[in-house]
């Protein structure tokens, strides 16, 4: 009997595997690809995800290899969001190819003791009530596994989701954009974005001297698949939008993307759970997909481990759906809104873009709100008790103390962290007005506030 079987060794499955191993849970990951994909769908790691990596001591490798970008875009608007205004140690996104993220995550998962079987595919799952029967195929043919729980991290066409009978409602695509990883002989400085009635174009620097060009044009508003783009097509689009092709040559990868948007109705069905793209499909706007998936894994990991270890009741797993499904709803709302801005090629659409861009430049509160949402820092899980302290459910900032390690370092064990300010043991260093009157708090393994009080005599709750 396996403890947990994870379908998919992408970033989400690998991060979840390591998180479960941190708690001593046995994990087997089945991945159809015989080797990691060198092509990178995702490039961006957002501030909240960097915080989560730091809470497990994983961030330094990413910081040493990624390119920090202190601004972000919303809908490819001209005025960018300034992450330097955010309340975090990591006031930037990191540009790092998904292929490298997967390599680093896989190294960590293997070092933690996860079993990763490449060339093995989940072909079906059946929840029998007391276990999950997993049908699989490997290099030597079909075989079966029996597991206490199965987690589908197997993408938008998830076999696990379909086998579990979980609906995946949403919309099909109406926009087909393109991307190109190329060499640019005359690249723009830093990040670049431009939108005209000829289309929109964004250029991002990649480690290793490459650049990614991402764009869409009026002729891309369509519901049929035009085939993969050619270098000549990308060159013609760039010239039409930017007036130059930036000396593009030597393509490494040419591909397309769409704005299809769907979300699983349930993230849990008995002993079967979903995370990442298996739970939500969307336009790759703002580079949020990988980040939301990793944050799914961090929410699920400690809960599943606690239930399997007998520390918490089984219904703790229901809170995974209750907390993360609304985040997926917000994700689709944001990416679909950005799709409308990407495709706003008409004169009226261009005026809408100009107005919203002006609001980002002139309304700091509006701009900061978008940046907090895009970065993942604004997520709050509604507390079960409506009378709970206002901090409950919020992500805790990296609190620093006059004595001892900071909060992110204290979270590295993957366990709850209790803070006691009443007896001076955890005296805060620096100004934290929102925490000034807090006398005690309990921080969840994923960095959200489980409980807080201003009463020094209040009884301390159980983590579960």
């Amino acid at each position: 009997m396996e403890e947990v079987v994870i379908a998919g060794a992408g970033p989400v499955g690998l991060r979840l595997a390591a998180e479960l191993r941190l708690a001593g849970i046995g994990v087997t990951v089945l991945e159809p690809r015989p080797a990691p994909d060198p092509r990178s769908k995702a490039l961006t790691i957002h501030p909240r995800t960097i915080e989560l990596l730091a809470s497990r001591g994983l961030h330094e490798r990413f910081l040493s290899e990624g390119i920090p970008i202190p601004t972000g875009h919303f809908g490819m608007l001209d005025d960018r969001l300034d992450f330097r205004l955010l309340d975090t140690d990591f006031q930037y996104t990191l540009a790092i190819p998904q292929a490298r993220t997967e390599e680093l995550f896989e190294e960590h998962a293997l070092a933690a003791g996860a079993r990763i079987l490449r060339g093995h595919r989940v072909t079906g799952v059946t929840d029998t009530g007391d276990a999950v029967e997993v049908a699989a195929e490997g290099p030597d043919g079909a075989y079966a596994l029996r597991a206490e729980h199965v987690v589908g991290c197997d993408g938008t066409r998830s076999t696990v989701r379909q086998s579990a009978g979980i609906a995946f409602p949403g919309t099909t695509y109406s926009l087909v954009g393109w991307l190109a990883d190329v060499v640019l002989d005359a690249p723009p400085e830093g990040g670049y974005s431009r939108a005209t009635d000829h289309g929109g174009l964004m250029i991002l620097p990649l480690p290793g001297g490459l650049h990614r060009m991402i764009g869409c044009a009026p002729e891309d508003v369509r519901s049929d698949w035009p085939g993969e783009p050619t270098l000549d097509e990308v060159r013609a689009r760039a010239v039409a939008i930017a007036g130059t092709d930036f000396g593009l040559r030597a393509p490494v990868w040419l591909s397309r993307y769409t704005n299809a948007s769907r979300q699983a109705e349930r993230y849990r069905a008995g002993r079967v759970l979903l995370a990442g793209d298996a739970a939500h499909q969307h336009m790759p706007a703002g580079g949020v997909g990988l980040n939301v998936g990793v944050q799914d894994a961090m929410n699920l990991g400690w809960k599943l481990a606690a239930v399997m270890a007998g520390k918490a009741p089984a219904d703790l797993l229901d809170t995974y759906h209750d907390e993360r499904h609304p985040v997926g709803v917000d994700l689709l709302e944001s990416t679909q809104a950005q799709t409308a801005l990407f495709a706003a090629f008409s004169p009226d659409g261009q005026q809408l873009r100009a107005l919203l861009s002006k609001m980002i430049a002139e309304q700091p509160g509006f701009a900061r709100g978008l940046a907090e949402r895009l970065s993942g820092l604004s997520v709050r899980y509604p507390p079960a008790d409506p009378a709970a302290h206002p901090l409950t459910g919020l992500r805790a900032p990296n609190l620093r103390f006059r004595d001892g390690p900071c909060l992110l370092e204290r979270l590295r064990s993957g366990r709850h962290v209790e803070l006691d300010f009443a007896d001076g043991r955890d005296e805060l260093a620096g100004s934290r007005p929102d925490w000034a009157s807090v006398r005690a708090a309990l921080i969840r393994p994923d960095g959200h506030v489980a409980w807080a009080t201003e009463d020094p005599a209040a009884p301390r709750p159980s983590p579960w």
Side-chain angles (χ1 to χ4, degrees), residues 177-245:
W178 48 269
L179 67 83
D181 289 349
V182 294
V183 173
L184 298 183
D185 289 332
E189 291 187 12
Y192 174 92
S193 63
R194 179 176 173 80
T196 71
D197 55 358
H198 294 292
L201 173 67
M202 185 164 57
I203 301 175
L204 299 171
L206 302 179
L210 293 174
H211 283 77
R212 172 161 292 182
M213 305 180 77
I214 308 168
C216 59
E219 52 266 43
D220 295 322
V221 179
R222 56 198 301 166
S223 58
D224 62 310
W225 186 256
E228 298 300 351
T230 65
L231 190 62
D232 286 342
E233 176 187 346
V234 173
R235 178 176 288 110
R237 298 288 180 85
V239 171
I241 297 166
T244 176
D245 67 1

Side-chain angles (χ1 to χ4, degrees), residues 33-108:
R33 297 173 299 172
D37 191 341
R39 302 169 300 179
S40 296
K41 295 179 181 179
L43 295 176
T44 306
I45 297 181
H46 280 283
R48 178 56 184 153
T49 304
I50 305 174
E51 286 185 344
L52 290 169
L53 297 179
S55 75
R56 300 297 184 264
L58 301 177
H59 62 303
E60 292 182 355
R61 291 284 297 276
F62 288 86
L63 297 182
S64 68
E65 297 187 28
I67 299 173
I69 301 176
T71 62
H73 78 91
F74 186 86
M76 214 182 293
L77 296 175
D78 292 339
D79 289 283
R80 295 177 66 83
L81 305 173
D82 189 351
F83 289 157
R84 291 167 294 190
L85 303 177
L86 298 177
D87 180 19
T88 176
D89 292 357
F90 310 105
Q91 298 174 317
Y92 45 80
T93 62
L94 279 181
I96 183 169
Q98 179 177 329
R100 184 56 178 152
T101 295
E102 289 188 16
E103 287 178 354
L104 294 173
F105 281 1
E106 184 163 357
E107 287 178 14
H108 183 245

Side-chain angles (χ1 to χ4, degrees), residues 277-323:
D277 290 350
H280 35 74
Q281 177 183 10
H282 56 90
M283 175 83 153
V288 294
L290 180 150
N291 295 271
V292 174
V294 168
Q295 291 159 32
D296 287 345
M298 295 296 289
N299 183 292
L300 175 59
W302 67 270
K303 295 176 179 177
L304 183 54
V307 169
M308 296 187 68
K311 296 178 180 178
D315 60 7
L316 178 65
L317 290 178
D318 291 334
T319 70
Y320 170 61
H321 169 88
D322 294 343
E323 292 182 347

